């Protein structure tokens, strides 16, 4: 059985000419000399390396579609006909108290100094990609009013055209980072936080020093990797001047904009854009502890770590070293993940898929915990978009997993809200939206809630993408309350692995979650035999 | 190759792959995904290195 067919995908804006395709190569069974397109090989014939990436850069996000042998759909959620765990202290569960709107979806993370969130979700790293930059206001205000954390990704200072460096090449002024932090803080409601991610280039530029001295941020994130790829963060720039500037700031820029041949090709418009790449990191145990120590001495109250879909060795390092370094949140992002820019075939074919990675993470965390070693709070990431996924991930990783990191899914409402604003202005609402009305308060079901939250006057300044994210987070929250009530878990901490069953023997073997015909069998037999 | 930390073709080897199914592991002799690197992982969980 083929799990993923290459050579044509909407991500690379390609398609096979024929309906009949060889599964392994993805090449049409009848490949014709004279074909006018449009498979990946056809297009790579004249656009070459451009075909490595989903596109167009800046207006899309991409997620891989390899159909792995086992994924979260192989788990189902239990519902029970009795019981109520996690009700407020002293409250007895009965049909009047154990109502689904009473379910508490609040969560928190942190080794000592906890950060509370109203819903157990937070944004993936929104970094230097164009789609993160141009939609930031929507994402940041949306996360703030939803009471969840937002992660500002790597390289934000490094690519800022208005960045000012000191004589020692450290960040002196970074207006885009300032804007990002201030936007979130302005609407912060006491839940969640903004934290900033840091990679090799950010470390060299002194981003940590800048954000703590100027903005007094409490949390910074070290970055080992992500689910979408295992090379550094990437963006595209379309001017040779920008490409040269980024090269001067220490980034890897391809093709080399200082090469006269490349310059000539750019002038001829054969080369239309440049790629800016970050460096590969090299992790080491003592270097990791030293860096955590340095950041704590700078004044950060919390240090978090994000790791990617690496194999079991690096996963063990992430969990063990985080335990020893008292890391405040460890985010474990599985393949294929989502992205603003990552090599398409890498997304499809690299790394540990989310379910496998998360299953191993639980196994490793449990091993440490059983030996009396404290496990840091964990977040799972890598392909989640709905409340059932959030529930399953919380249960799979219980009691270690406190929240789910969502990338693409949490970005969509920001973009949709922004576009609705434009469509209203242009009197061009699509029918999918106009069937609910033509004004903001008619279209957005949570408009009045947000107005109540920020005030009658301030609502005028709230971007519609933010109201979109609020509405979506409410959908996740209420859906989660329903699933949790069904599983008789009235707060996040009361969710356990027992709330899940495996639909296949293979899933049971990978995850350790019992096969559905074995789940609760002992309890059932006791009743039958009584 | 950069992803697998291999900076020359001669360094690419079978350890850079995992099998997604038991059947693939049996056919190809490439370790199953939940077993690949497990010895290293267990050692790290005990000692940190």
């Amino acid at each position: 059985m083929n799990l993923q067919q290459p050579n044509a995908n909407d991500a690379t804006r390609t398609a096979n000419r024929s309906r009949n395709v060889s599964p392994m190569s993805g090449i049409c069974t009848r490949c014709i000399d004279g074909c006018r397109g449009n498979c990946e090989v056809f297009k790579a014939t004249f656009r070459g390396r451009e075909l490595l990436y989903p596109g167009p850069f800046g207006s899309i996000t991409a997620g891989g579609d390899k159909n792995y042998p086992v994924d979260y759909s192989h788990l189902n959620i239990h519902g029970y006909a009795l019981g109520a765990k996690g009700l407020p202290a002293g409250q007895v569960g009965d049909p009047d108290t154990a109502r689904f709107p009473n379910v508490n979806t609040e969560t928190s993370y942190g080794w000592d100094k906890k950060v509370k969130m109203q819903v157990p979700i937070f944004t993936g790293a929104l970094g230097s990609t164009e789609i993160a930059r141009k939609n930031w206001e929507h994402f940041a205000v949306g996360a703030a009013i939803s009471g969840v954390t937002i992660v500002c990704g790597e390289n934000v200072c490094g690519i800022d055209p208005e960045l000012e460096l000191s004589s020692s090449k450290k960040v002196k002024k970074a207006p885009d980072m300032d804007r990002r932090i201030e936007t979130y803080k302005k609407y912060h409601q006491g839940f969640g936080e903004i934290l900033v991610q840091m990679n090799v280039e950010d470390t060299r530029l002194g981003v940590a020093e800048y954000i703590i001295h100027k903005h007094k941020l409490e949390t910074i994130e070290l970055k080992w990797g992500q689910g979408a790829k295992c090379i550094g963060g990437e963006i595209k720039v379309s001017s040779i001047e920008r490409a040269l500037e980024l090269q001067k700031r220490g980034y890897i820029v391809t093709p080399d904009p200082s090469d006269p041949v490349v310059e000539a090709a750019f002038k001829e418009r054969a080369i239309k854009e440049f790629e800016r790449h970050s460096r590969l990191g090299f992790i080491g145990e003592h270097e990791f502890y030293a860096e955590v120590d340095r950041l704590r001495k700078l004044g950060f109250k919390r240090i978090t770590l994000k790791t990617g879909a690496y194999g079991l060795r690096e996963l063990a390092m992430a969990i063990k070293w985080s335990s020893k370094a008292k890391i405040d949140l460890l985010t474990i992002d599985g393949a294929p993940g989502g992205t603003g820019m990552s090599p398409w075939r890498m997304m499809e074919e690299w790394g540990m898929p989310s379910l496998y990675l998360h299953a191993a993470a639980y196994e490793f965390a449990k091993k440490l915990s059983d030996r009396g070693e404290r496990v840091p709070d964990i977040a799972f990431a890598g392909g989640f978009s709905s409340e059932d996924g959030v529930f399953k991930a919380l249960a799979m990783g219980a009691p270690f997993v406190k929240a789910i990191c969502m990338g693409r899914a949490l970005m969509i409402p920001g973009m949709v809200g922004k576009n609705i604003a434009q469509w209203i202005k242009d009197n061009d609402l699509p029918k999918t939206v106009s069937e609910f009305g033509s004004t903001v308060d008619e279209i957005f079901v949570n408009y009045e809630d947000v107005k109540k939250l920020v005030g009658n006057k301030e609502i005028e300044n709230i971007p519609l993408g933010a109201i979109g994210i609020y509405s979506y987070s409410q959908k996740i929250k209420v859906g989660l309350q329903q699933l949790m009530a069904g599983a008789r878990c009235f707060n996040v901490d009361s969710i356990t692995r027992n709330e899940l069953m495996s639909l296949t023997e293979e899933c049971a073997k990978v995850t350790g979650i019992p096969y559905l015909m074995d789940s609760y069998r002992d309890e059932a037999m006791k009743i039958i035999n009584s | 190759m950069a992803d697998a930390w291999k900076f020359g073709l001669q360094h690419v080897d079978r350890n850079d792959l995992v099998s997604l199914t038991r059947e693939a592991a049996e056919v190809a002799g490439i370790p199953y995904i939940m077993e690949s690197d497990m010895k290293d992982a267990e050692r790290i969980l005990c000692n940190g290195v």
Side-chain angles (χ1 to χ4, degrees), chain A residues 415-435:
Chain A
M415 297 187 282
V416 173
K418 173 194 71 178
N419 294 331
I420 288 176
Q422 189 62 43
W423 292 329
I424 290 174
K425 206 169 139 195
D426 298 344
N427 199 21
D428 184 31
L429 280 171
K431 198 166 177 310
T432 45
V433 181
S434 65
E435 66 174 300

Side-chain angles (χ1 to χ4, degrees), chain A residues 192-384:
Chain A
E193 64 173 343
I194 178 166
L195 61 92
V196 172
Q197 223 172 45
M198 197 172 62
N199 68 1
V200 177
E201 284 83 0
D202 294 316
T203 308
R204 289 181 182 174
L205 285 170
V207 170
E209 291 83 347
Y210 182 76
I211 59 169
I212 193 151
H213 293 145
K214 175 143 193 197
H215 294 286
K216 310 275 179 286
L217 281 200
E218 296 186 343
T219 309
I220 192 161
E221 181 153 280
L222 296 169
K223 173 93 180 261
W224 283 6
Q226 58 266 298
K229 60 184 160 192
C230 42
I231 53 171
E234 305 155 275
I235 58 163
K236 287 191 184 190
V237 293
S238 51
S239 95
I240 196 161
E241 293 77 20
R242 279 279 282 142
L244 285 163
E245 182 184 49
L246 293 174
Q247 193 179 47
K248 222 165 85 187
R249 286 183 191 167
Y251 286 107
I252 302 158
V253 180
T254 57
D256 182 357
S258 56
D259 181 340
V261 175
V262 171
E263 194 186 340
F266 186 78
K267 275 189 186 150
E268 295 292 330
R269 300 296 296 147
I271 292 173
K272 299 184 197 307
E273 52 198 5
F274 296 89
E275 296 157 19
R276 183 235 63 196
H277 298 268
S278 309
R279 284 170 171 71
L280 296 170
F282 279 71
I283 59 167
E285 187 180 13
H286 297 295
E287 294 81 353
F288 177 67
Y289 301 146
E291 180 64 353
V292 170
D293 196 40
R294 181 183 79 88
L295 294 170
R296 289 225 169 91
K297 281 186 180 142
L298 276 177
F300 287 102
K301 287 184 184 165
R302 282 175 295 275
I303 318 284
T304 63
L305 173 66
K306 165 108 177 258
T307 189
Y310 301 117
L312 299 181
R313 181 186 60 178
E314 281 85 340
L315 178 66
M317 289 171 174
I319 293 172
K320 178 79 177 184
W321 300 356
S322 292
S323 164
K324 288 172 86 172
K326 300 182 178 171
I327 287 294
D328 292 275
L329 183 70
L330 168 62
T331 301
I332 300 172
D333 189 7
T339 191
M341 180 177 170
S342 297
W344 175 241
R345 296 307 305 162
M346 182 182 282
M347 288 184 75
E348 295 281 65
E349 299 295 333
W350 100 281
M352 295 278 286
S354 294
L355 186 80
Y356 300 83
L357 186 71
H358 297 161
Y362 168 78
E363 185 189 332
F364 293 175
K366 177 85 168 45
K367 264 187 186 166
L368 293 193
S369 176
D370 287 348
R371 288 205 302 255
E373 295 174 49
R374 181 168 162 190
V375 176
D377 289 340
I378 290 175
F380 282 165
F384 297 102

Side-chain angles (χ1 to χ4, degrees), chain A residues 3 66 68-69 230 280-282 285 312-313 316-317 320-321 346 352-353 356 363-364 367-368 371 506 510, chain B residues 2-5 7 18 20-22 32-38 40-49:
Chain A
L3 305 182
K66 184 162 184 171
Y68 290 109
C230 42
L280 296 170
F282 279 71
E285 187 180 13
L312 299 181
R313 181 186 60 178
M317 289 171 174
K320 178 79 177 184
W321 300 356
M346 182 182 282
M352 295 278 286
Y356 300 83
E363 185 189 332
F364 293 175
K367 264 187 186 166
L368 293 193
R371 288 205 302 255
E506 193 176 354
V510 169
Chain B
D3 136 27
W5 300 80
F7 288 83
V18 293
L20 291 175
T21 58
R22 296 268 178 202
Y32 182 57
I33 184 165
M34 299 305 279
E35 286 155 13
S36 178
D37 281 348
M38 187 52 104
D40 282 344
E42 280 175 351
R43 193 194 64 244
I44 292 159
L45 287 173
C46 281
N47 313 324
V49 286

Side-chain angles (χ1 to χ4, degrees), chain A residues 83-91 97-108 117-120 390-391 394-395 398-399 401-402 477 480-496 499:
Chain A
K85 297 183 290 180
L87 284 169
Q91 199 171 86
T97 55
R99 290 177 297 168
F100 95 78
N102 291 350
V103 169
N104 185 354
T105 60
E106 258 185 47
T107 190
S108 66
M117 298 198 295
Q118 288 185 322
V119 191
V390 173
F391 183 95
L394 288 170
V401 170
K402 306 295 179 190
K477 179 182 172 172
L480 195 56
Q481 284 178 313
Q482 293 172 337
L483 290 167
M484 286 170 69
R488 308 295 173 125
C489 301
F490 284 80
N491 66 10
V492 170
D493 284 344
S494 61
I495 300 172
T496 68
E499 272 63 78

